[in-house]
């Protein structure tokens, strides 16, 4: 049944690639993967294989790859992606020796792939459970580890109709899971090789913080004023926080929308009625030309990528978007800077958000009224944001260490 589903999926992808550029990139990349490996492989080297579905999973695996390279330079690293949103962004990542798409999980593809690379071990990050790859890895006696994985009762493995498919989990040599609930769920289907280590993303955000850039444009705009920073925002988020900010011009504002398109940027500018808005790319030009006019602006609209994790350092209060849609974005990149984080209601699947809420540093809102109440609290009690921010930073620090726990346990 699984292989039939994969075959039908393969046919669907082939057809969709004729009409969708993103799917076309994935289809082409998967078909070229074996050729890419053959061209780049060092036949004398031993490879450790890391597989990430997309960009978020890559960030969870990155601390492991970089620590492995430092501690065990005798190994080379193969990094594969399933999604173009991961591969296209990180195809030039210097921490891996070979980077390519993972060919779709057919028996033929899995055999060719593993025969070509011959990994000494494999790490599958978070949610990746490819049936044919995993069974062939087990058959060949290659250790395979699931890292930063997290399980919930509603997943197919724990339903009566998914018990047959759950056997795929027994192909893993060991699970390094995020929480105790995951360990208990795996035990119900007879899987005992499980260690609760937490989430490697906490280690990653500390790395990101250490490598953060100084951004003089943001620093000058902020000055001595209170600064509100919204990251990865969508229209429903902006419709909640912008009206309050329009009523409080004493707050400086930085908005980094998730979608950086001209229509969306103009929409945000229109909503910021009465505020003096400057786009970041225009500010860069002014800065290079030594135009000292940032005092004339009080809102900075980020119209480029790669700055958000560094921008958060200038915040007094942060807002992370996505909570009124498919789910919140990365709250840890904000919390690591010792600032409180506000986000929408769709956060139940995000353990880090639950942790931030539990310690009081993550503030969930369901409406504009909730947002106004929290922000008014920060206005009425100026020290409150700093107090909650300290809790946010402490929470991140307490949850670090998963990378070291995993690599100290794996036998190289």
């Amino acid at each position: 049944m699984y292989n039939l589903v994969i075959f039908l999926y393969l046919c669907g992808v082939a057809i969709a690639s004729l009409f969708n550029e993103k799917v076309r990139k994935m289809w082409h990349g998967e078909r070229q993967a074996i050729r890419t490996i053959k061209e780049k492989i060092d036949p004398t080297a031993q490879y450790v294989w890391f597989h990430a579905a997309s960009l978020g999973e890559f960030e969870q695996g990155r601390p492991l790859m970089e620590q492995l390279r430092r501690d065990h330079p005798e190994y080379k690293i193969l990094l594969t992606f399933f999604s173009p949103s991961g591969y296209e962004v990180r195809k030039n990542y210097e921490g891996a020796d070979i980077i390519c798409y993972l060919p779709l999980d057919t028996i033929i593809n899995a055999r060719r792939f593993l025969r070509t690379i011959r990994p000494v071990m494999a790490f599958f990050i978070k949610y990746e459970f490819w049936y044919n790859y995993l069974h062939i890895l087990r058959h060949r006696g290659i250790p395979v580890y699931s890292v930063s994985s997290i399980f919930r009762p509603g997943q197919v493995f724990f339903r009566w109709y998914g018990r047959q498919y759950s056997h795929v989990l027994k192909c893993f040599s060991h699970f390094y899971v995020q929480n105790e609930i995951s360990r208990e769920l795996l035990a119900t289907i007879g899987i005992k090789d499980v260690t609760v280590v937490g989430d490697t993303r906490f280690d990653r955000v500390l790395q990101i913080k250490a490598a953060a850039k100084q951004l003089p444009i943001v620093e000058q705009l902020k000055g001595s004023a209170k600064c509100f920073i919204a990251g990865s925002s969508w229209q429903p988020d902006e419709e909640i926080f912008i009206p309050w900010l329009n009523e409080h011009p004493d707050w400086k504002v930085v908005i980094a929308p998730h979608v950086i398109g001209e229509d969306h940027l103009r929409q945000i500018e229109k909503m910021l009625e009465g505020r003096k808005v400057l786009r970041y790319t225009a500010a860069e030009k002014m800065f290079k030309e030594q135009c000292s006019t940032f005092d004339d602006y009080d809102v900075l609209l980020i119209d480029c990528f790669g700055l958000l994790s560094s921008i958060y350092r200038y915040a007094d209060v942060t807002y992370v978007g996505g909570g009124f849609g498919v789910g919140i974005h990365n709250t840890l990149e904000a919390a690591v800077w010792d600032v409180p984080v506000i986000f929408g209601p769709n956060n139940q699947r995000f353990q880090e958000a639950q942790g931030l809420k539990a310690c009081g540093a993550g503030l969930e809102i369901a409406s504009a009224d909730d947002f106004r109440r929290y922000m008014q609290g920060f206005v009425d009690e100026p020290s409150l944001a700093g107090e909650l921010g300290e809790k946010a930073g402490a929470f991140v620090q307490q949850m670090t260490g998963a990378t070291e726990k995993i690599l100290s346990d794996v036998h190289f």
Side-chain angles (χ1 to χ4, degrees):
M1 178 62 73
Y2 176 85
N3 288 317
L4 176 60
V5 171
I6 289 294
F7 174 76
L8 294 174
Y9 177 80
L10 183 63
C11 293
V13 169
I15 295 170
S17 68
L18 300 174
F19 308 100
N20 185 288
E21 183 180 357
K22 182 177 179 180
V23 176
R24 187 159 54 249
K25 287 181 178 179
M26 182 178 71
W27 173 245
H28 178 74
E30 288 179 356
R31 296 174 71 188
Q32 294 296 316
I34 300 295
R35 181 183 299 178
T36 299
I37 293 172
K38 287 181 176 179
E39 290 174 353
K40 296 184 177 182
I41 194 169
D42 178 354
T44 66
Q46 291 184 306
Y47 283 85
V48 177
W49 172 27
F50 285 84
H51 176 63
S54 191
L55 188 59
E57 289 79 11
F58 164 79
E59 290 296 332
Q60 288 177 294
R62 184 170 178 169
L64 291 165
M65 287 183 275
E66 295 180 356
Q67 187 68 42
L68 174 64
R69 192 176 282 284
R70 287 192 295 269
D71 294 349
H72 296 279
E74 67 272 22
Y75 294 108
K76 291 196 172 185
I77 293 175
L78 165 69
L79 171 62
T80 60
F81 288 97
F82 178 75
S83 168
S85 60
Y87 175 79
E88 295 299 330
V89 174
R90 293 302 180 189
K91 60 186 176 182
N92 297 316
Y93 171 59
E94 295 181 353
D97 299 282
I98 304 175
I99 303 173
C100 64
Y101 282 93
L102 180 68
L104 197 63
D105 188 29
T106 66
I107 294 174
I108 293 174
N109 281 347
R111 286 174 176 167
R112 290 179 62 211
F113 180 88
L114 293 171
R115 189 185 304 124
T116 303
I117 195 66
R118 297 185 182 278
V120 296
M121 67 182 66
F123 292 85
F124 280 42
I125 303 164
K126 198 173 183 178
Y127 287 138
E128 293 297 272
F129 308 112
W130 294 110
Y131 187 92
N132 291 315
Y133 281 104
L134 288 168
H135 276 84
I136 295 172
L137 283 165
R138 183 178 67 172
H139 177 73
R140 297 186 178 186
I142 299 170
V144 56
Y145 305 101
S146 177
V147 298
S148 287
S149 44
I150 187 167
F151 294 91
R152 299 177 181 86
Q155 287 174 298
V156 64
F157 311 113
F158 312 110
R159 298 297 184 100
W160 65 266
Y161 53 80
R163 286 305 172 100
Q164 185 65 33
Y165 180 63
S166 70
H167 291 311
V168 71
L169 300 181
K170 296 181 180 179
C171 294
F172 285 96
S173 306
H174 203 91
F175 286 86
Y176 296 97
V177 299
Q178 293 188 32
N179 58 23
E180 182 64 23
I181 293 174
S182 297
R183 188 193 67 76
E184 292 172 356
L185 284 169
L186 289 171
T188 66
I189 55 174
I191 296 175
K192 301 296 179 63
D193 292 321
V194 183
T195 304
V196 179
V197 298
D199 190 345
T200 52
R201 279 182 300 173
F202 289 92
D203 301 324
R204 177 62 188 145
V205 293
L206 287 182
Q207 293 177 344
I208 293 172
K209 181 180 180 180
K213 308 170 186 176
Q214 293 282 345
L215 299 173
I217 292 172
V218 182
E219 189 170 342
Q220 288 185 31
L221 179 105
K222 171 182 169 61
S224 59
K226 292 287 187 180
C227 186
F228 175 90
I229 294 178
S232 301
S233 63
W234 296 78
Q235 182 179 341
D237 303 301
E238 292 144 11
E239 290 174 348
I240 281 180
F241 63 71
I242 287 179
W244 188 90
L245 294 167
N246 285 341
E247 297 168 7
H248 294 79
D250 52 317
W251 281 71
K252 295 297 179 78
V253 181
V254 181
I255 302 174
H258 184 74
V259 176
I260 299 177
E262 186 60 29
D263 289 345
H264 190 199
L265 295 173
R266 288 183 178 178
Q267 182 183 54
I268 294 172
E269 288 170 335
K270 185 177 180 180
M271 292 175 69
L272 288 159
E273 56 185 70
R275 302 298 300 257
K276 299 173 182 177
V277 183
L278 178 64
R279 295 192 185 187
Y280 191 86
T281 52
E284 279 187 311
K285 184 177 180 181
M286 293 165 58
F287 189 77
K288 289 176 182 177
E289 295 173 355
Q290 298 183 334
C291 298
S292 55
T293 56
F294 293 132
D295 290 342
D296 295 334
Y297 300 92
D298 51 21
V299 179
L300 189 63
L301 184 55
I302 308 301
D303 58 346
C304 53
F305 294 101
L307 298 177
L308 182 56
S309 59
S310 297
I311 288 174
Y312 281 133
R313 74 190 305 160
Y314 301 102
D316 292 285
V317 177
T318 62
Y319 182 101
V320 173
F324 289 91
V326 295
I328 57 172
H329 295 285
N330 195 336
T331 55
L332 297 180
E333 286 188 349
V336 74
W337 290 105
D338 301 337
V339 291
V341 188
I342 302 173
F343 43 78
N346 191 354
N347 60 70
Q348 302 305 312
R349 294 181 295 108
F350 301 86
Q351 183 170 286
E352 68 280 8
Q354 303 310 304
L356 285 169
K357 287 199 297 183
C359 74
L363 307 175
E364 178 185 316
I365 63 168
S367 65
D369 288 340
D370 291 341
F371 179 79
R372 286 175 173 273
R373 185 174 68 257
Y374 282 129
M375 292 302 295
Q376 193 59 48
F378 294 133
V379 171
D380 294 341
E381 193 174 344
S383 63
L384 181 60
E387 293 171 5
L388 297 187
E390 288 182 6
K391 293 180 179 179
F395 168 72
V396 175
Q397 290 287 343
Q398 289 168 5
M399 299 298 289
T400 58
T403 300
E404 182 63 33
K405 291 174 184 176
I406 293 169
L407 293 182
S408 64
D409 194 56
V410 172
H411 298 292
F412 291 96

